[in-house]
Each structure stands twice: as C-alpha cells, then as structure tokens.
Amino acid sequence: MMMTLKQQLDLLNSQKASATELTQEALQKAHALQDKLNAFVTIDDSSLEAAKSADERRARGENGLLDGLPIALKDIFCTDGLKTSCGSKMLDNFVAPYDATVVSKLKSAGAVSIGKLNMDEFAMGSSNENSFYGPVKNPWNTQKVPGGSSGGSAAAVAAGIVSATLGTDTGGSIRQPASFCGITGLKPTYGRVSRYGMVAYASSLDQGGPMARTAEDCALLLSAIAGHDPRDSTSVNRPVDDYETALSQGVAGKVIGLPNQYFGEGLDEGVRKVVDDAIKALESLGAKVVELDLPQQSLALPAYYVIAPAEASSNLSRYDGVRFGYRAENPADLNDLYCRSRSEAFGEEVQRRIIAGTYVLSEGYFDAYYRQAQRLRRMIYNEFATAFESVDMIVGPTTPTVAFDLGQNTKDPVAMYLNDIYTITANLAGIPGLSVPCGFSDGMPVGLQILGRPFEEGTLLAAGHAYQRATDWHTQQPEGL
Amino acid sequence: MALSADDLHRAAKLARLNVAPQSQQAQLDALNAVMEMVSAMQSVDTSDVEPMAHPLFQSQVLREDVAVEPNQRDKYQASAPNTDAGYYLVPKVIE
Amino acid sequence: MQWETVIGLEIHAQLATQSKIFSAASTAFGAEPNTQACPVDLGMPGILPVVNQEVVRMAVMFALATNAEIGQRSVFERKNYFYPDLPKGYQTSQFEFPIVGKGKVEIVLEDGSTKVVGLTRAHLEEDAGKSVHDLYSEFSAIDLNRAGTPLLEIVSEPDMRSAKEAVAYAKKIHSLVRYLGICDGNMQEGSFRCDANVSVRLKGESEFGTRAEVKNVNSFRFLERAINFEVERQIDLLESGGTVVQETRLYDPTKDETRSMRSKEDAEDYRYFPCPDLLPVVIEEADIQSIRDALPELPDQRLNRYQSQWQLSGDDARLLVQDRSVAEYFEAVANQADPKLASNWMVNEVIVRLDKDSIEIERSPVGPSQLAALIARIADKTINGKIGRQILDALWSGEASDVDSYIADKGLKQVTDTGAIEAWVDEVIANSPDQVQQIKEGKDKVMGFLVGQAMKLSKGKANPAQLSELFKAKILG
C-alpha cells in the first residue's frame, strides 16, 4: 500500500507508526527494488539514526513540519558527508563538505533522507539513460524509461519507496519524469527555491522542486524548501505563500488557456485524448476554458538548446581534475590532465552539450546564436506575460508521448530533445509548472501540465488538488514490483 | 550553417576535451543535427528585442563585508586528487 | 626616423576589503596556503557567489575621484579560460557594462606642465589564485587564498607618450586609490599591478602601431625600465625591417628585458557572457550622493590647501601630497611646528632618508612628534640646522629618542653667550689675516670660511648667522 506524505504524517501524529518504522520500510523497499529499478545512486542506511532522532523529537513534542518523514534527494543536491555524484563519473568520489540550502531546510523540518537518487549526468537528459550509474527503469514497465533528468526521483515515488523526493528542472526534468511515472511534480518559479548547493547545469534555468504522489504533498514539501537564501543571489526575497491554505482555492472561476501549439503536430493521439478528458474534468470543476495562440512557443527549443549548453559549458569548466572530482592517471602535462580527466569522466551527451555551448559562445557565433537566443527568450517571456493577462493558467500535455522504450532515442539527440517541447518554455520564462497524472495511454501514465504566473505556485497546486479530489489517477499504482 | 571538423576541434580545444578520431564523425553528425534544429531561430527578426539574460528582473542583493568563513582546508581538500602541505598539485606548468 | 611612443596602462588595484568579492573568506595577505579559500573561492559544485557591497562602494569612490561616469547598472560576466589557479574555469569580471565608465586624471610632467590622461573604464573582477612553480620538481602548487580577492581593473586611454608619463600616471592612480583608502597600494605584495600596452609609430602618423602588452611589473622603477626596453626593442625591430607582433610579454627585472609569453595566435577566445548566478548591480542616485559626501580630501585638493594655507611651493607641496601617508605625516608635523620649516625638513631630509633606506613612511624610525620637536628647537634657536641634521641622524639610527634630552645630554645647545662667541671670532680673525683682508676688499664669499672656522671652534654649537654678523661688525667696523 503506497501512502502519501500526508497519510504518513497522520500515522506519525496518531502514533500508529514511528519514523523509524517508516524509514526502515522505505530502506527495505529501496534495497529490494534497486536491482529492478536502479533508482538510487546511494542508499543511506545511516538515515535510521536520523529517524530515531525524529521519534525522540516527536516524543518531546518538538517536531518540525516534516518530522520523521522518509524522503530521498536527487543526487544533484549536495549533502555534507554523503557522496554527491550528479550521475557522473566525474563526481563518483565527490563528498561535498556542505549541505545544499534545501537539504538544510528539509533537515531542519525533520525530514529523513534515505539516499541519493539516480539521474541523467549533470541533469542533461530526458530518459535517465545518461547516468554513469546506468539507466533507471520505469516502475510501470521496466522496459521503458522513467524520463529525466530526475528519473530516479520519479521512479522512487512511483514505486512507493518514498512518498516524496526532490528533483530539479532545467527544461522539464521534474515535470517530464513525473508525467512518465504517473506522479505529481512541481517546477517552482525561478528564484523561489534556493539553488545553493544544487550542482548547476544551466544557472538561469535550473530550479529545484518537489515530486510526490499528490499536489497536496507537493505543497507541503514546497512550504519547507521555498524562500529567500542570502547565499543565492538569484533567490527572490519575497514572502512564501501559505501553499496548504492555497490548496482549498479550487479551480472554480479560473480561466484556463489551451495553446493551439500544445495540441498540434507531434502530439500522440492517445495522450491527446487523455488530456482532453482531463480538461473537461477541470471545466466541470468550474474552470473556464479558452483557446490561446502562442506562436513564439516554437522558438523555445532552439533558444533552449543554445542557452542551456552555453551556460553548461561554463558551469562545467570547474571539473578540471584539480580540486575535486575525477583525475586522469599519469597526465603528461597540465593540458593532458585537463583534456583526459574531462574526456574520460564526462559522458557523451555532456561532452556534446559542452562543445555546442562553447561553439555558440565563441567568437563569430556569439551574436548569431547566444544573443539571438536571449532575444527569443524575451519574446517567449513576453508572450507568456501577455497570455497571463487574460488567463490564470495554461494547460496542456506535459509531454508529446508517454514513456518510450529504453534505448529508443539514444542515437538521436534531437528526437530526445523533442520530449521537452512543452516543458522548456516555462524554464525560459521562469514561470512555475505542475505536472499531474491524468490517465493512461498504452498502459503508461500521461501527465497534464499546468503553467502559471510567476510566484503563483498556490494557484497551480490548488488546481492540481481540486483535480485530484475529483479523480483517482494519482492513486494508481504499478503492479508487479 | 554546419560545423566542420575544424569547428569541432576548435570548440573541443577551448573546452579542454579530446575528440577521438574514431568518434569524430559521429560527434559531428550529432552536433550538426542539433545545430540544424537550432538554426530555425536564425530567420526570426529580433532587431527590436532586448536580449534577456535572466528570468528575474531584479538587481543584485549585496552582502556585508565581513570575513566570517572559518578555515576548513582539510575538509575541503578531502575530495582532492592530489594535495601536499595544503597545496593542490598539478603537473608542472612551464611559463 | 622620429618615433613616437604610445602607452596605455591597465592597472589592477586589489580593493582593501575584509572579505572577498563573492565570498566571506578573508583577504588578509600571507596566510598558510588554501586556509582562506572557501567553497565559493574553490569553485565547488553548486556553490554560488554573492557580491560584497564594499567593492561597489569603492568602485563608486574611484569613479567620483576621477570624474568618471558611473555605470548605474553594471553586469558581471564570465571570462572563460582554463588555468589551475582559476578554480571555476572562468573569471567573474565585467565586460559590456562596467561599473566605472569614461573618466580622466591630470598628471604633472617633469617640466612642470600638466597633462590630462583619459580613463577608458574601470571594472570589478575577482583575482586568481597563485601557482607556485619552484616548490616541487614535478608539480606546480596551487594556493587559492588570493582567488576571489576583489580587483578594480583601471584601463587608461593610450594617452601616454613616454615611460616617464606612464610612471607619472601610475603614481597618480596609486596616490588616488591610497587616498580613497580603497587599495593599500603595496606593489611588492601585488596589491597594485601595472600592465603596459606599448606601441610605437612614426611621428605624425595617425594610426597606432601594433602593441605588445608588458606584464609582471611590480615597481614604478621597473615600469619605466620595462617600457623603455620595450620601446627600444620595437624601434630596433621596425628599423631593421621587422614587424611587431601583438603579444603578451613578461618583464624580467633581473635581466632588465621583456620576453614573449604568448602570441595572439594562441590567445584564448574568452567567450564572455553575463554570469547567470549574479544579477545586475544597480546603484541608486542617493547611494552615489552619500558616497560623494563621505569622500576624503584628495591629493589635488590637498595640494591647493598646502599652497594657500601654508604658502608651500608647488613642487614641495606636490611631493608631500602624492602619498597619503606622507601627507598625513607632514600634517602631523606641521600642526605642531612651523609648517614652512616642516615642509623643508620633510622634503630635504625625511623623504630623502626614506628613499635611501627604501622604507615606507609608516615604518619611519622617526615619528612626526619627534620631527616636530626637532623643528621646534631649530625655530626657537636652541640648535642650528646643522646640529638638527645630526640629531635627526641620531633619531634615525635609534641612538636618540627624545630630542630635548639628547640636546641636553650631548650639550648640543646653541651657544648664545656673547663672550664666548666674541672669543672665537677674535681667534679666527687673528689666525686668518689674508681672508680678513679679502673681506675688507669686498670679497663677501670668504665670510663662509671665517664662519666655518668659528663653527669648528664652537664644535658646531654657535649660531652661524650670529657669527657672520659679528665678523662683519669687527672687520668692517
């Protein structure tokens, strides 16, 4: 029986279960399913100690918001004393001497992290096949990918190992795997959640966020991790909304825009049908549905694949084999140390993006590519801003298809990138996006994406919550695990 | 505008990556597929659009000038591949 | 052929903050390796920079002191290249939108004329760490304590036409940043570093020649020598039919030459782009005003004040104001003793001794109060100038500490007893009939000899002016 965070919290509050019991169970499942799913890079058995402390705090009545709840972290969040690999051979031996801000926040809320979750190397990927630790399998069908880059985070929740995890989303890396694995995932507004201690892929696009079974649990987790961080210059100094209260807003009276561009060519018919039904359900909950035309959305993929690699090429220069991370053996000289360490320890996709990013920033190409992409970014932003003057939310499928077979797209990067076609716009514009499970196509889960105005996570979560109270897609569980 | 082998080597050199001869063509093909997809943006007229570097339209928050970081050299160097006497060591650089 | 030298300088001034530009690690010089390098400075995964407010304030002070435009919205960008002492693989700097725009400073040339040198810009950036190459036979050792130390890079227009002008400009900037208190100016420790862009062209030519950038100059003397060497090298090259290549050259002070470090062909493509971890730095008008209100008195203002308040000569005043510490030392003396005398003693004695011993005025063995006490004893005629210099030597060497007790102990007090003085004068007149005759014939210059003889008899303690008067009276009647 899979539970939500809320249900587990009720058990703890009513003393029907202890944090130690919940954590023990989570650890057992994690170990038991590791061969099958490969969701974890590190399973942290010492988390039982943290669970015991949580039980003691609860006994003393000193429990925090998430006290004693077992969760797990994408292996991109630095954890003091526990390996943070970012899915890469480069950081296979890296133990951060600090906690990411969100990790400290979760710790101080009392959450118990049972380990670090598998992911595409440096968060570059849409299938979790780019991990140094091997691909994660989709719990609904282990022949299928779980999505990426937060594939381990999605699979661990879908398989019921933990009720909630943290992921990161640079071009859809929370929402797409959430969609593929039939769970709920929220990419918050850029700047809402601190990036300190979160290994950078593309700094102006990266944002950490919750992945869970329900919108309600996402609200709970977001409350714990959101907020200004003086150590992150790009975290926004504005009060954090009360997301749990916001949940009760519902969706009645809200105007929902359906962009033609999210329902056009490339959208799988099965997915379209499921999403259409979900939209009808929202209408029946009182939402007003209007059509939208967002022609600039087609510019998002090109703009993204210039900006993200450009930033990545610079962000990943620090991995040079000098101060941490992988170092090639017996380097002939400094240049050999650099080139071999990086070539031996970065995977193919990471190297491809570094080279593409270096190219678009280099002399003679900067204006045609990087600067042009930044201009398109503003056009996309402006288009959203205009749209949000007349609609409260923008809704569509999270991905054009359901989860595909392992190995299906690995030879064709562009086909792989097309998976993110509906999600990357939110990263470029910095707006929040939620994916909620809304049905199945070919036996695999389908996600409904809800985009909103900056800092209106509450509105999205309320819509998701209202939808989940009226439907039971989010309670479906994979069989045969 | 397709990348040539020279372009690939130039970028790889700047990025301190080796290009193995046997994978050069595959790398070029993949990169060019990506760049072709990207090149769709070249036809868009953006002459009156300001570049957008960041989704936050705010200014930098400034930090007070206080030196409060403790010395944690040993902890920071625990993951380092080669250190001695507090230094990070690299193959000798000849200037 | 008549050649003209064209020089522009890039000066890196380390800003005198407590903590680094993007981290809270200390900037103190000389710590054990890597003990002042925190995760931000080490470029560790996931770690983010936050801008130190003090560096912004200091850059604005510099802008105000050089009548420069202030970039009210400046942007940090990344300059990408690999080097072991550059931890992130990029230097966070400013490029398209620097914090300080066009400005100007006035320099005084050797002939006393003035010249305005244009400032192109000044921008904030982080310093790199240090690579130590001589500790290990097979390795270079990396110390990142300096990584992240704030720098203000001050770029001049190519307005200088000689090494001397370049030095005058560099000294002017040095003086300014020290006055503003934004840089300690220590060239030995690398707090103030000059790179010179040097080119030559035929007189009358309007295009600039190809320039070489000369690096690693850590004193004003070396700056002058490095530029002169480079100018000669380029002229020799051109006159023998060669061409100058654009390159970076390193000055080697032991050989007094510059040599090629890297040519333009291997120049990096730095791929500048706005740093996505930082937001634009916006400076409000009110902030600028409050920084302006708090600006200290600057050298040019102080120069005017010395001339009007104390009637010092332009040359003396200029020498005194150039270095803020010298000026402050001087003012401490001038406030306790006659300012004119104080100026003379500073210019002719103290500064000369400091230069001779190559020490900074902060470490002067004689403090302002001691010098003031000495000058007071000269002013009230307790001692004469010659004895004064003797006492200053004693103070300098540490033999003396208190002026008055030294005068008393050594019996250096000027003799004012007219009886004794008359006796010395009479003795000299008796022993020097030839010279006495010459004075009677109007040869005044010989007076110096007579006074000197009398001074000898007095063991230096007579007042020479008084002696001279007495000789005149006795010989000429």
Side-chain angles (χ1 to χ4, degrees):
Chain A
M1 165 68 191
M2 294 183 190
M3 281 185 288
T4 66
L5 272 187
K6 277 279 183 193
Q7 288 165 338
Q8 291 182 317
L9 204 51
D10 287 344
L11 291 181
L12 290 172
N13 284 335
S14 58
Q15 294 179 327
K16 287 182 184 142
S18 67
T20 307
E21 285 162 355
L22 293 179
T23 303
Q24 222 150 22
E25 198 188 331
L27 284 168
Q28 273 161 13
K29 281 188 196 165
H31 282 292
L33 291 172
Q34 182 60 12
D35 279 352
K36 200 163 212 169
L37 299 177
N38 196 28
F40 283 82
V41 172
T42 305
I43 299 172
D44 182 13
D45 290 308
S46 76
S47 57
L48 271 179
E49 298 301 315
K52 275 181 200 142
S53 307
D55 283 328
E56 284 159 21
R57 281 195 298 274
R58 193 170 289 276
R60 292 196 301 269
E62 293 167 358
N63 46 304
L65 183 65
L66 303 172
D67 227 317
L69 292 172
I71 55 145
L73 307 164
K74 184 177 183 178
D75 206 17
I76 198 170
F77 293 101
C78 288
T79 42
D80 193 347
L82 186 70
K83 178 169 102 171
T84 300
S85 73
C86 217
S88 182
K89 181 179 180 183
M90 182 59 87
L91 292 179
D92 184 42
N93 62 0
F94 177 66
V95 178
Y98 42 82
D99 276 332
T101 296
V102 291
V103 173
S104 319
K105 284 188 168 224
L106 285 174
K107 269 189 191 166
S108 62
V112 176
S113 170
I114 66 155
K116 308 293 292 288
L117 295 156
N118 204 344
M119 56 182 284
D120 280 304
E121 183 180 9
F122 285 101
M124 299 181 194
S126 310
S127 68
N128 218 119
E129 291 165 295
N130 297 336
S131 170
F132 173 61
Y133 302 95
V136 176
K137 317 287 170 48
N138 193 315
W140 290 90
N141 178 344
T142 53
Q143 304 299 310
K144 305 270 185 189
V145 302
S149 64
S150 312
S153 303
V157 173
I161 299 170
V162 284
S163 303
T165 57
L166 282 194
T168 62
D169 191 318
T170 306
S173 284
I174 286 177
R175 291 160 289 159
Q176 187 251 19
S179 169
F180 278 14
C181 291
I183 66 162
T184 306
L186 174 73
K187 180 201 96 75
T189 309
Y190 185 87
R192 182 68 296 178
V193 173
S194 168
R195 294 188 298 115
Y196 183 89
M198 190 178 106
V199 180
Y201 159 23
S203 313
S204 79
L205 302 162
D206 294 342
Q207 187 66 192
M211 302 174 79
R213 309 196 69 77
T214 63
E216 191 180 24
D217 282 358
C218 285
L220 183 62
L221 216 51
L222 183 62
S223 309
I225 61 171
H228 176 62
D229 179 2
R231 291 185 297 183
D232 175 1
S233 302
T234 65
S235 82
V236 175
N237 197 355
R238 66 180 263 161
V240 176
D241 292 343
D242 181 344
Y243 300 116
E244 292 199 72
T245 306
L247 285 175
S248 59
Q249 281 173 21
V251 74
K254 301 285 185 193
V255 182
I256 287 174
L258 307 179
N260 299 322
Q261 286 73 12
Y262 287 15
F263 295 88
E265 201 187 329
L267 177 61
D268 176 85
E269 278 309 310
V271 173
R272 180 198 304 274
K273 199 191 153 299
V274 167
V275 169
D276 283 347
D277 289 347
I279 291 162
K280 286 196 192 93
L282 287 172
E283 254 183 311
S284 69
L285 289 166
K288 185 173 173 262
V289 172
V290 298
E291 278 196 20
L292 272 180
D293 194 41
L294 303 177
Q296 317 285 14
Q297 301 282 311
S298 66
L299 304 173
L301 204 61
Y304 178 87
Y305 278 98
V306 168
I307 292 169
E311 293 184 10
S313 70
S314 173
N315 282 335
L316 270 63
S317 292
R318 71 192 60 206
Y319 306 106
D320 58 4
V322 176
R323 297 162 317 286
F324 44 78
Y326 179 82
R327 171 181 280 203
E329 280 185 28
N330 305 317
D333 56 23
L334 180 68
N335 198 55
D336 188 46
L337 167 74
Y338 285 154
C339 294
R340 274 206 295 124
S341 298
R342 291 165 62 78
S343 299
E344 290 170 15
F346 286 142
E348 194 183 317
E349 180 64 23
V350 170
Q351 294 194 42
R352 176 152 52 237
R353 293 197 198 186
I354 290 174
I355 288 178
T358 303
Y359 178 74
V360 297
L361 286 175
S362 64
E363 216 178 310
Y365 302 100
F366 182 86
D367 287 325
Y369 288 109
Y370 183 76
R371 191 91 82 185
Q372 175 75 351
Q374 281 197 326
R375 293 198 162 102
L376 299 184
R377 185 174 191 179
R378 186 172 302 276
M379 289 167 75
I380 291 161
Y381 175 88
N382 288 344
E383 186 176 74
F384 270 129
T386 308
F388 282 123
E389 284 169 14
S390 54
V391 303
D392 297 303
M393 282 169 270
I394 291 173
V395 169
T398 306
T399 57
T401 66
V402 292
F404 45 88
D405 288 345
L406 283 157
Q408 184 180 321
N409 286 333
T410 44
K411 292 282 170 281
D412 184 351
V414 176
M416 190 69 93
Y417 298 171
L418 284 169
N419 265 286
D420 299 329
I421 191 146
Y422 305 140
T423 48
I424 50 174
T425 52
N427 300 84
L428 289 168
I431 61 173
L434 179 74
S435 179
V436 292
C438 66
F440 292 83
S441 173
D442 294 333
M444 295 304 288
V446 174
L448 180 76
Q449 177 174 243
I450 311 174
L451 303 174
R453 300 186 186 102
F455 302 103
E456 292 199 4
E457 285 82 359
T459 309
L460 305 186
L461 290 165
H465 185 57
Y467 178 75
Q468 289 177 335
R469 288 182 61 158
T471 60
D472 64 358
W473 300 115
H474 61 289
T475 66
Q476 308 287 315
Q477 299 170 15
E479 281 167 17
L481 288 172
Chain B
M1 186 162 36
L3 271 78
S4 65
D6 278 355
D7 291 331
L8 170 65
H9 284 282
R10 183 165 153 269
K13 188 180 171 197
L14 282 171
R16 300 298 186 274
L17 291 169
N18 290 328
V19 180
Q22 66 272 20
S23 68
Q24 176 181 310
Q25 196 52 49
Q27 280 198 60
L28 260 181
D29 291 346
L31 269 174
N32 275 322
V34 176
M35 294 314 290
E36 194 192 320
M37 179 271 287
V38 162
S39 69
M41 68 183 200
Q42 303 300 351
S43 57
V44 184
D45 178 11
T46 56
S47 46
D48 57 348
V49 186
E50 267 291 292
M52 174 171 150
H54 217 272
L56 282 181
F57 303 102
Q58 296 185 335
S59 58
Q60 177 65 33
V61 176
L62 302 175
R63 203 190 83 237
E64 216 182 307
D65 179 30
V66 283
V68 291
E69 278 288 341
N71 168 23
Q72 298 191 67
R73 183 176 71 187
D74 293 346
K75 194 175 180 189
Y76 299 153
Q77 293 193 339
S79 285
N82 193 0
T83 59
D84 185 62
Y87 289 102
Y88 295 94
L89 301 186
V90 298
K92 191 142 189 148
V93 180
I94 298 125
E95 288 211 312
Chain C
M1 277 182 276
Q2 273 285 81
W3 294 97
E4 182 179 50
T5 305
V6 176
I7 304 160
L9 292 189
E10 287 170 19
I11 293 173
H12 289 85
Q14 267 184 11
L15 295 177
T17 54
Q18 297 298 308
S19 65
K20 294 187 178 174
I21 183 167
F22 300 124
S23 84
S26 169
T27 53
F29 181 81
E32 285 292 300
N34 292 308
T35 54
Q36 289 173 180
C38 74
V40 178
D41 313 315
L42 296 170
M44 294 194 96
I47 298 301
L48 299 169
V50 184
V51 181
N52 183 341
Q53 62 182 17
E54 197 63 5
V55 305
V56 174
R57 194 181 69 86
M58 288 176 167
V60 172
M61 287 174 82
F62 181 79
L64 292 171
T66 53
N67 297 305
E69 295 161 10
I70 294 169
Q72 290 186 243
R73 185 178 172 282
S74 64
V75 175
F76 283 103
E77 305 207 22
R78 292 182 181 178
K79 179 183 182 180
N80 295 282
Y81 65 97
F82 283 85
Y83 201 73
D85 58 25
L86 185 71
K88 298 185 295 294
Y90 57 83
Q91 179 191 31
T92 308
S93 181
Q94 296 185 316
F95 188 60
E96 201 179 350
F97 303 101
I99 191 161
V100 181
K102 278 195 179 308
K104 54 180 187 290
V105 292
E106 192 180 83
I107 59 171
V108 178
L109 307 180
E110 275 188 322
D111 64 2
S113 66
T114 59
K115 171 169 182 160
V116 172
V117 175
L119 297 178
T120 314
R121 56 187 277 154
H123 61 257
L124 289 168
E125 63 184 25
E126 57 183 339
D127 209 343
K130 276 184 178 160
S131 302
V132 187
H133 303 299
D134 53 6
L135 273 182
Y136 300 86
S137 58
E138 288 168 53
F139 300 110
S140 289
I142 311 299
D143 173 10
L144 297 171
N145 281 347
R146 201 181 65 180
T149 300
L151 295 177
L152 187 67
E153 180 175 340
I154 304 156
V155 183
S156 85
E157 293 287 313
D159 284 349
M160 278 77 74
R161 292 292 172 268
S162 70
K164 286 225 182 320
E165 282 185 26
V167 170
Y169 163 78
K171 282 188 171 167
K172 178 76 183 210
I173 297 294
H174 188 260
S175 165
L176 267 181
V177 294
R178 298 250 300 161
Y179 264 85
L180 293 169
I182 64 176
C183 172
D184 71 17
N186 189 325
M187 295 179 81
Q188 295 305 311
E189 290 177 5
S191 313
F192 189 89
R193 313 196 283 269
C194 303
D195 300 337
N197 285 309
V198 181
S199 65
V200 297
R201 62 178 169 189
L202 283 175
K203 265 231 152 68
E205 193 78 33
S206 60
E207 297 287 307
F208 291 128
T210 306
R211 64 170 201 264
E213 185 179 10
V214 182
K215 282 187 180 287
N216 194 34
V217 188
N218 66 0
S219 77
F220 294 124
R221 201 156 48 97
F222 290 160
L223 178 63
E224 185 169 342
R225 282 162 56 174
I227 292 172
N228 282 333
F229 174 88
E230 184 56 24
V231 168
E232 269 182 51
R233 186 188 72 86
Q234 292 186 14
I235 292 175
D236 286 351
L237 199 60
L238 293 170
E239 289 191 339
S240 61
T243 50
V244 175
V245 290
Q246 190 173 335
E247 62 182 350
T248 303
R249 299 180 69 85
L250 217 58
Y251 177 67
D252 181 345
T254 55
K255 294 184 183 151
D256 189 22
E257 62 174 30
T258 67
R259 60 167 182 270
S260 183
M261 204 171 122
R262 55 171 180 262
S263 71
K264 205 193 172 204
E265 287 83 76
D266 359 292
E268 284 272 10
D269 175 353
Y270 291 123
R271 291 158 285 137
Y272 280 97
F273 75 104
C275 177
D277 288 330
L278 293 165
L279 299 173
V281 174
V282 173
I283 305 164
E284 305 291 343
E285 202 53 58
D287 297 332
I288 296 173
Q289 191 53 48
S290 72
I291 294 169
R292 183 182 282 123
D293 292 344
L295 275 188
E297 186 184 36
L298 296 174
D300 289 351
Q301 297 165 326
R302 195 168 271 196
L303 175 76
N304 291 337
R305 180 162 62 82
Y306 286 3
Q307 289 178 283
S308 60
Q309 186 180 336
W310 289 325
Q311 286 80 46
L312 303 190
S313 76
D315 283 349
D316 286 356
R318 202 164 285 124
L319 198 63
L320 291 171
V321 302
Q322 189 177 38
D323 183 299
R324 183 178 179 169
S325 304
V326 170
E328 273 163 10
Y329 184 109
F330 163 68
E331 287 197 31
V333 179
N335 286 332
Q336 301 171 57
D338 178 65
K340 256 315 246 221
L341 269 179
S343 165
N344 292 341
W345 278 78
M346 285 295 293
V347 171
N348 299 323
E349 304 297 335
V350 175
I351 292 178
V352 172
R353 281 172 168 78
L354 289 171
D355 278 352
K356 196 171 126 258
D357 297 355
S358 304
I359 45 175
E360 301 288 324
I361 195 151
E362 286 87 346
R363 280 175 279 279
S364 166
V366 177
S369 299
Q370 287 173 302
L371 184 64
L374 181 62
I375 291 169
R377 291 301 155 261
I378 295 163
D380 68 14
K381 299 195 163 59
T382 305
I383 54 170
N384 60 42
K386 193 176 173 203
I387 295 288
R389 278 190 290 280
Q390 192 183 318
I391 297 172
L392 184 58
D393 284 336
L395 292 169
W396 205 266
S397 69
E399 183 199 336
S401 60
D402 182 77
V403 171
D404 286 336
S405 40
Y406 189 76
I407 292 173
D409 291 352
K410 296 279 172 180
L412 298 174
K413 202 163 176 228
Q414 197 157 249
V415 177
T416 46
D417 170 6
T418 41
I421 295 173
E422 266 198 77
W424 293 324
V425 169
D426 288 343
E427 194 180 333
V428 171
I429 290 177
N431 294 336
S432 321
D434 293 352
Q435 286 81 0
V436 169
Q437 187 53 41
Q438 284 171 337
I439 286 176
K440 282 183 177 162
E441 289 164 5
K443 292 185 180 165
D444 290 350
K445 280 182 188 164
V446 184
M447 183 62 83
F449 172 79
L450 297 179
V451 171
Q453 293 298 308
M455 284 298 283
K456 242 182 215 167
L457 292 175
S458 79
K459 299 199 172 78
K461 289 184 287 186
N463 180 329
Q466 198 183 355
L467 286 173
S468 178
E469 287 302 306
L470 208 54
F471 276 116
K472 270 188 204 158
K474 292 219 175 209
I475 296 168
L476 303 174

